[in-house]
Amino acid sequence: MIQKDKKFVPVMLMPFQEDGSIDYNTLDNLVDFYLEAGAGGLFANCLSSEMYQLSQEERLESVSFIVKKVNGRVPIVATGTFEDTIENQAEFVKAMYATGVDAVIVITGLLAKEDDSEETFRANVEKLLALTDDVPLGFYECPVPYKRVLSADFLGQLVKTGRIKYHKDTSLDINSVRAKIVATKDDESFGLYDAYMAHAVETLKAGSAGLSCIQGNYFPEMVVWLCDNFDNLEKKDEVDQVQQFLIDNMDVMHDTYPVSAKYVLQKRGIAIGTFSRTPSKLPDENAKKQLDILLEDYQVLSEKIGVLAS
């Protein structure tokens, strides 16, 4: 499912109506927004989708909706493990795969407790693989409930099984990313996608399959542009400006996320509400002012690099 060209895979937002129910009309439009921006795949039912605030039925229903809407145009991955026994997690992995996704994502921090040993974690991973038949899988070092980072050697072993197609890296460590890329380089069907945009260009140059970051829920066109141009020597100055923009605005894009991303998309003309089932809220007018400045700065940058911004 992974192509050789660098791809941006959005961690999809979940739009809600004011009564808290999923807004499927807006979700339909949001899929179009990502694809028209040039996304090379979609990560559904993820932390940005408020997956922990969804019921099992909502998780399956929303992913099925996205799969039907996309209709094979790009690959789709979706989380399929939540806090439960390994046996029950395996059953839900199979149920998620039945929605038609290309691979089911496993949350590393849900396969062992934070104080469990690496040996316990690895044993539970092997058990999950054994219980999920031939379902293609991926890993996500999700920061909630805690972040368990895969070692390069273990990821390399797993990829050699032929079952592992995707890895979302949140190690925040470029040396760790490089080691994982080296350990998995022999399997062209596997792709590592980095979430940490402070070293986005370094990650792409190191050989990652692409990027999968929350910044793409503000400005997906910019992340696609970076994937397309990171090694273009004629555009080195513009690439450096984009990388610096990502570094300079790391905090403002994280502070009240995902509500902040929904707010910016509203300002960009996307009909999405800012309701969230998470505790994330826009706390005051100052936060909105900072996001307005972010959008203005992006619009200036987009003109410089030749990306059409609405």
Side-chain angles (χ1 to χ4, degrees), residues 93-127:
V93 164
K94 289 186 278 190
M96 184 59 74
Y97 187 57
T99 65
V101 296
D102 294 86
V104 179
I105 302 302
V106 175
I107 303 298
T108 55
L110 290 175
L111 290 182
K113 293 182 172 60
E114 191 168 4
D115 57 356
D116 281 343
S117 67
E118 178 69 7
E119 290 73 21
T120 296
F121 170 67
R122 293 190 180 199
N124 286 343
V125 171
E126 298 288 356
K127 184 176 182 180

Side-chain angles (χ1 to χ4, degrees), residues 11-305:
V11 282
M12 296 184 67
L13 293 170
M14 181 61 74
F16 296 100
Q17 300 186 61
E18 285 305 309
D19 65 0
S21 60
I22 295 175
D23 184 346
Y24 280 100
N25 287 332
T26 299
L27 183 58
D28 185 278
N29 294 332
L30 197 58
V31 171
D32 288 335
F33 174 67
Y34 289 130
L35 297 186
E36 288 168 6
L42 296 174
F43 187 166
N45 194 43
C46 56
L47 196 58
S48 292
S49 312
E50 307 183 34
M51 62 181 182
Y52 290 126
Q53 285 73 40
L54 302 178
S55 68
Q56 296 284 63
E57 293 75 17
E58 287 175 320
R59 292 164 183 161
L60 294 172
E61 183 181 71
S62 60
V63 172
S64 296
F65 179 91
I66 292 164
V67 168
K68 184 177 180 180
K69 168 71 177 178
V70 171
N71 193 29
R73 287 176 286 174
V74 297
I76 301 170
V77 299
T79 304
T81 60
F82 295 89
E83 189 169 8
D84 209 330
T85 64
I86 300 298
E87 291 80 3
N88 287 345
Q89 288 189 54
E91 288 304 308
F92 195 68
V93 164
K94 289 186 278 190
M96 184 59 74
Y97 187 57
T99 65
V101 296
D102 294 86
V104 179
I105 302 302
V106 175
I107 303 298
T108 55
L110 290 175
L111 290 182
K113 293 182 172 60
E114 191 168 4
D115 57 356
D116 281 343
S117 67
E118 178 69 7
E119 290 73 21
T120 296
F121 170 67
R122 293 190 180 199
N124 286 343
V125 171
E126 298 288 356
K127 184 176 182 180
L128 184 73
L129 262 68
L131 291 171
T132 49
D133 304 327
D134 295 323
V135 174
L137 300 176
F139 290 96
Y140 173 20
E141 297 164 340
C142 184
V144 181
Y146 76 96
K147 185 189 296 186
R148 182 177 284 266
V149 175
L150 284 174
S151 66
D153 70 295
F154 188 41
L155 181 59
Q157 292 174 32
L158 292 169
V159 169
K160 286 178 182 177
T161 67
R163 293 275 306 279
I164 311 305
K165 305 303 178 184
Y166 179 101
H167 175 67
K168 176 170 174 165
D169 196 275
T170 68
S171 67
L172 314 184
D173 182 345
I174 188 61
N175 292 322
S176 174
V177 171
R178 289 190 180 112
K180 289 173 183 174
I181 291 169
V182 170
T184 57
K185 62 182 175 59
D186 293 332
D187 190 337
E188 294 187 356
S189 71
F190 168 81
L192 181 148
Y193 292 81
D194 202 347
Y196 188 46
M197 293 301 95
H199 56 222
V201 173
E202 287 183 90
T203 291
L204 294 167
K205 288 181 176 179
S208 71
L211 304 172
S212 187
C213 52
I214 71 164
Q215 288 80 358
N217 281 326
Y218 295 85
F219 314 119
E221 307 91 339
M222 180 180 65
V223 184
V224 170
W225 183 93
L226 192 61
C227 288
D228 290 342
N229 293 285
F230 72 96
D231 60 350
N232 186 338
L233 294 179
E234 294 181 357
K235 296 186 177 181
K236 184 180 183 306
D237 288 345
E238 292 94 329
V239 168
D240 290 346
Q241 290 178 60
V242 171
Q243 179 66 89
Q244 194 60 49
F245 175 84
L246 292 168
I247 293 170
D248 292 345
N249 291 288
M250 190 73 66
D251 289 344
V252 70
M253 286 195 266
H254 276 84
D255 282 348
T256 55
Y257 185 81
V259 172
S260 52
K262 295 178 180 182
Y263 172 82
V264 169
L265 290 185
Q266 271 190 354
K267 302 286 282 190
R268 295 193 60 191
I270 308 299
I272 183 172
T274 57
F275 184 95
S276 174
R277 292 186 186 178
T278 72
S280 171
K281 306 294 177 188
L282 287 174
D284 53 36
E285 289 303 312
N286 183 59
K288 292 182 180 180
K289 182 179 179 180
Q290 293 302 312
L291 291 168
D292 291 343
I293 293 171
L294 170 71
L295 181 54
E296 291 170 5
D297 290 346
Y298 170 68
Q299 289 169 333
V300 171
L301 178 59
S302 68
E303 292 180 7
K304 287 183 178 179
I305 67 176

